Amino acid sequence: MNKTVNINLANTLFHIDDDAYNKLRRYLESIKRSFDGTAGSDEIIADIEARVAELFLEKMENERQVITHKEVDAVIAVMGQPEDYMVDEDIFEDQPRRKETSTRRTKKLYRDIDQKYIGGVCAGLEHYLGIDALWIRLIFILLAVFTGFGLIAYILLWILVPEAATTSQKLDMTGEPINISNIERKVKEGFDDVADTVKNVDYEQVGNKVKSGSKTFFDTIGEIIVFLFKVFGKFIGVLLIIIGASTLIGLFIALFTVGMFNAVNFPGVDFYEIVNTTGAPVWLVSLLMFFAIGIPFFFLMYLGLKILVNNLKSIGNIAKFSLLGLWLISIGTLFALGVRQAAEFANVGSVNVKDELVMENPSDTLVIRMNNSAFDYDRGDVHFGRMTFAYDENDKRFLLSDDVRFKIRKSEDSLVKINIRKDSHGSTTVKARERAKNINYGYELNQGEVVLNDHLTTDLSNKARDQEVTTTIYIPAGKVIHVDESTYGHVGRGIKNDQNYYRSGVVDHLWIMGEDGELKCQDCPEDESVDEDEEGGKIIIDGDGVDIDIKDNSDSFKMKIDEDGIQIKAGEKNDN
């Protein structure tokens, strides 16, 4: 049966058995003697006692637990023995300290638990290798993500490498000489932080925490979940850094190569000038885009750094609010430019050019064809819709579009007429009509042929505003016309015909304009049909789908569809 005593350590009451109390007392007295005469020794001793009390509280499972040799030994192992401070036995006998001379020691590998994120492996490698721990963490994470080796190596080092718990181990970790000067400095550095923590401790609250009971199974599960979240958080931090940094680098290169100095002929940049009507130069829009996109990604990268580095210095409120203001200005300016640009397509303006086609022999067949001269120009590779750059024989640039089509309608009299409608967009109808007037488009009447241009042109100053041309040819009733195959792709919608052909279906056929305004085909193939009385069935393929009719006197019908096509075979008739 052991005797127990009550002690007050750092304003906290503990129950401790007599033998453990004597060991703790001797331990604290030896430390006090080792710092006798040292500046700030009282504060150091007070901090040590506070740290010992804090360690006891962590190890106690309930408030009535008696502290034994086991708990005292565990605390001493964490705090370090007096000899860890290189204090000679003479010092314990109140003799003057001897001066120790030492040279710089070889570093030893320990886990630095004071600067740890998870296990202190990377922080320890920072001291051992002399490489910033941030880069070591990045290497481990990248190896873990792409090879899996990083995770295995980290776990092995965590298990095999001891932690730097005592002062001598911490000095071994950094390779510093173990002398009185370094020990005092190290102790003071460590315990200054502890002192701040202990002074801010609400001991009544700590006592209540001790009373709340021991650590349960669910507490352990919670710690494991928190650990996994920390690992996941570090991975997210690295990912944010990679995304933010790569985006900023790309934007920076694009800004100075394309936007500012046009050092690279990036496709579409030169076309910006003929699309833009806001008046904003390309370098200004590039700069605004850099700020609008780059600032959020900068803060994304900064967030990743904050996740990885706890003591990362803040960029300051002035810088934060300045970047926020610059981002809002950039977004607002780009929005205003976008609204102004969109307004350029808000209205449509049209102009019409009407003419009569006088034919030398009105009874001749009227041929409609395209001249296909658009391919005679050298054209650029960049397109805005159906519009692109083109160059004349003097290398002068202009805009060219193949957005032209024609329609056929019945004339109200006996004359062949033509109407050319030019359309364009603009911020107002008046401006749109002005652009439409500046569209260059022509046609010819050549020996019974109406030859239409297959393209339109306009000057660069008119910008690209969905310019298009629609030509309507009015044909009198009874007039024979032929739509040449060169018109393929330029036939407009709504040409009424007795074959119900759609658009280019009327191409390369001979037609007569009917009194009802419908074209009557003169050379279209007749519909192939099967007599209802003939043996076998029939297959009808039309707009409603496929209709297969098998006669009653046919025993079988076989259809095979494979890579060779479709094979249809009727079964042989059984005469029996």
Side-chain angles (χ1 to χ4, degrees), residues 294-545:
I295 291 176
F297 278 94
F298 168 78
F299 280 106
L300 197 68
M301 182 182 69
Y302 180 73
L303 177 60
L305 289 172
K306 291 286 286 185
I307 293 174
L308 291 179
V309 184
N310 288 338
N311 59 346
L312 183 69
K313 292 184 179 180
S314 174
I315 62 175
N317 290 332
I318 295 178
K320 290 178 182 178
F321 286 111
S322 298
L323 290 175
L324 177 61
L326 186 59
W327 180 75
L328 291 175
I329 292 173
S330 300
I331 291 293
T333 305
L334 288 173
F335 179 77
L337 293 176
V339 171
R340 183 174 177 181
Q341 181 69 27
E344 290 294 324
F345 294 87
N347 297 280
V348 179
S350 302
V351 293
N352 291 273
V353 179
K354 299 180 180 180
D355 200 358
E356 294 183 1
L357 302 180
V358 180
M359 301 183 62
E360 296 180 359
N361 190 352
S363 62
D364 289 345
T365 300
L366 178 65
V367 178
I368 302 174
R369 68 179 182 89
M370 313 296 288
N371 63 9
N372 295 328
S373 60
F375 295 99
D376 297 338
Y377 297 102
D378 294 329
R379 294 186 289 180
D381 297 329
V382 180
H383 294 262
F384 182 77
R386 299 179 67 172
M387 183 166 283
T388 185
F389 286 118
Y391 301 85
D392 62 14
E393 62 276 4
N394 298 320
D395 288 334
K396 181 181 178 182
R397 273 200 316 184
F398 58 91
L399 296 177
L400 180 145
S401 173
D402 63 352
D403 194 2
V404 299
R405 61 185 59 86
F406 72 91
K407 300 178 181 179
I408 299 175
R409 296 287 187 269
K410 178 180 176 296
S411 177
E412 297 300 328
D413 50 32
S414 60
L415 298 176
V416 177
K417 300 178 182 179
I418 190 170
N419 180 77
I420 300 174
R421 191 188 73 199
K422 305 175 183 179
D423 298 320
S424 182
H425 287 76
S427 57
T428 64
T429 303
V430 174
K431 291 182 179 180
R433 282 176 52 82
E434 189 64 30
R435 279 200 180 93
K437 291 178 182 178
N438 293 325
I439 295 176
N440 301 315
Y441 183 79
Y443 71 94
E444 295 180 339
L445 181 61
N446 183 15
Q447 296 181 354
E449 292 183 342
V450 178
V451 183
L452 304 173
N453 284 349
D454 66 343
H455 66 277
L456 64 88
T457 62
T458 188
D459 191 77
L460 289 176
S461 60
N462 295 314
K463 308 293 184 180
R465 290 297 177 268
D466 289 341
Q467 287 92 336
E468 63 181 25
V469 170
T470 302
T471 301
T472 303
I473 303 174
Y474 294 92
I475 307 297
K479 182 69 176 177
V480 178
I481 62 174
H482 179 263
V483 182
D484 188 74
E485 62 181 357
S486 61
T487 62
Y488 190 86
H490 295 280
V491 181
R493 290 179 292 183
I495 298 179
K496 296 170 60 178
N497 60 89
D498 59 356
Q499 302 295 317
N500 290 323
Y501 287 154
Y502 181 71
R503 287 201 173 191
S504 294
V506 302
V507 172
D508 206 21
H509 289 296
L510 198 66
W511 305 88
I512 294 179
M513 176 60 71
E515 293 290 344
D516 57 356
E518 183 180 72
L519 294 177
K520 313 296 182 181
C521 188
Q522 303 301 300
D523 58 357
C524 294
E526 295 182 0
D527 292 337
E528 296 183 359
S529 59
V530 179
D531 194 337
E532 294 288 342
D533 296 331
E534 293 181 358
E535 294 184 358
K538 63 179 180 179
I539 299 176
I540 301 175
I541 303 176
D542 55 17
D544 298 326

Side-chain angles (χ1 to χ4, degrees), residues 52-76:
V52 171
E54 185 179 3
L55 291 174
F56 280 152
L57 288 174
E58 291 178 357
K59 297 180 181 300
M60 291 176 60
E61 296 183 356
N62 57 71
E63 63 177 341
R64 295 184 179 182
Q65 179 177 337
V66 177
I67 297 173
T68 63
H69 266 285
K70 179 181 178 180
E71 286 76 27
V72 173
D73 290 340
V75 170
I76 291 175

